[in-house]
């Protein structure tokens, strides 16, 4: 009789620390501002939440704010012998024409013609993937990621984590706000993810092969 092996692993999914574009409430997708002093402190505080966790592998997006946050967490938790594997697929969404623009003004431009006061109002009735389509439609260059492109990329990133994880391992993964909320919404639509999550926020996922349970959100 063939024995089917089931691989189980845990992901500690953390949002990077505050950057200068976060501080100034600017759109930050693939644009990559450095961490502020507060952002560095956010990373140290995130490390306190996982202080006693032994990580077997560490991953981040390839944007410096995520990479640097991961290194701080690994050092503070005495896991700094680990290399940080950078995955482009777990980057933030690409905002195209709107990269670096004022955040509230951008979402007013996108959402008001659709009958909403802003992005929080829009997301109270729509998914993050619908927000991606709305931004893509409003982008005069049509280069902002649409829902299908973004979802395909994020799920490819999850597949990369699943392929590289070994049974019983615990992974540190540092990513971005909309990427995290979009993934959580996909895994558990019952969780209300429409409001922003904190820089340094902790989310915990238990994977059994390619299926995941959300154990903690925005801690």
């Amino acid at each position: 009789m063939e024995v089917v092996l089931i691989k189980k692993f845990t992901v500690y999914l953390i949002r990077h620390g505050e950057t200068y574009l976060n501080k100034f409430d600017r759109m930050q997708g693939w644009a990559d501002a450095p961490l502020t002093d507060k952002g560095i402190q956010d990373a140290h505080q995130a490390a306190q939440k996982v202080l006693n966790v032994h990580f077997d592998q560490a991953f981040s997006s390839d944007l410096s704010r995520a990479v640097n946050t991961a290194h701080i967490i690994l050092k503070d938790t005495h896991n700094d012998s680990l290399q940080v594997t950078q995955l482009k697929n777990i980057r933030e969404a690409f905002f195209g024409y709107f990269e670096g623009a004022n955040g509230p003004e951008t979402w007013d431009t996108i959402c008001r013609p659709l009958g909403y006061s802003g992005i929080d109002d829009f997301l109270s009735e729509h998914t993050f993937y619908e927000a991606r389509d709305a931004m893509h439609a409003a982008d005069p260059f049509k280069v902002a990621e649409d829902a299908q492109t973004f979802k395909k990329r994020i799920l490819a990133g999850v597949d990369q984590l699943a392929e590289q994880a070994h049974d019983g391992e615990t992974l540190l993964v540092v990513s971005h706000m909309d990427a995290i909320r979009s993934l959580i919404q996909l895994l558990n639509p019952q969780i209300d993810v429409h409001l922003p999550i904190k820089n340094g926020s902790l989310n915990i996922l238990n994977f059994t092969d390619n299926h995941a349970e959300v154990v903690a959100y925005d801690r």
Side-chain angles (χ1 to χ4, degrees):
M1 184 179 67
E2 182 182 358
V3 177
V4 178
L5 299 178
I6 298 176
K7 180 167 64 176
K8 297 182 179 181
F9 60 97
T10 299
V11 170
Y12 284 74
L13 179 59
I14 294 176
R15 185 189 177 198
H16 63 80
E18 180 194 70
T19 71
Y20 283 96
L21 288 180
N22 292 149
K23 181 180 177 70
F24 302 142
D25 208 354
R26 296 278 170 172
M27 301 295 294
Q28 183 178 220
W30 290 7
D32 198 18
L35 297 176
T36 62
D37 289 342
K38 178 184 179 300
I40 293 170
Q41 188 59 34
D42 289 336
H44 287 301
Q45 290 175 352
Q48 289 298 311
K49 301 172 187 177
V50 293
L51 197 57
N52 298 316
V53 178
H54 168 75
F55 293 111
D56 299 289
Q57 295 191 64
F59 300 85
S60 75
S61 88
D62 61 340
L63 299 174
S64 68
R65 60 191 187 267
V67 178
N68 292 336
T69 297
H71 281 299
I72 291 170
I73 293 170
L74 290 176
K75 182 176 181 181
D76 284 3
T77 59
H78 307 291
N79 288 284
D80 45 332
S81 62
L82 293 178
Q83 298 294 314
V84 177
T85 300
Q86 299 177 30
L87 301 178
K88 184 175 181 179
N89 281 330
I90 61 172
R91 276 185 179 191
E92 184 58 289
F94 180 47
F95 300 143
Y97 171 79
F98 302 107
E99 288 281 346
N102 178 279
E105 290 176 2
T106 294
W107 285 114
D108 281 353
T109 299
I110 295 169
C111 295
R112 286 191 184 279
L114 302 175
Y116 298 91
S117 61
I119 187 58
D120 292 342
D121 189 22
F122 179 89
L123 289 174
S124 69
E125 296 184 0
H126 297 275
T127 67
F128 282 98
Y129 300 103
E130 290 170 314
R132 298 276 67 79
D133 281 338
M135 177 175 281
H136 178 80
D139 182 346
F141 292 89
K142 297 296 184 284
V143 293
E145 280 187 299
D146 61 21
Q148 182 178 7
T149 303
F150 182 57
K151 182 177 181 179
K152 181 178 179 180
R153 176 169 64 78
I154 292 298
L155 290 179
V158 172
D159 285 344
Q160 286 178 292
L161 293 174
E163 288 167 4
Q164 297 193 48
H166 298 98
D167 186 44
E169 284 192 335
T170 299
L171 313 183
L172 171 68
V173 180
V174 180
S175 186
H176 307 265
M177 179 166 68
D178 282 2
I180 291 171
R181 291 193 292 172
S182 298
L183 177 59
I184 297 293
Q185 187 172 68
L186 192 63
L187 297 176
N188 187 345
Q190 302 306 312
I191 297 176
D192 183 2
V193 298
H194 83 276
L195 294 177
I197 62 174
K198 303 178 290 292
N199 290 103
S201 125
L202 170 63
N203 310 272
I204 304 174
L205 311 176
N206 283 338
F207 280 84
T208 302
D209 288 342
N210 288 327
H211 301 284
E213 174 193 6
V214 181
V215 177
Y217 174 67
D218 194 25
R219 285 190 181 172

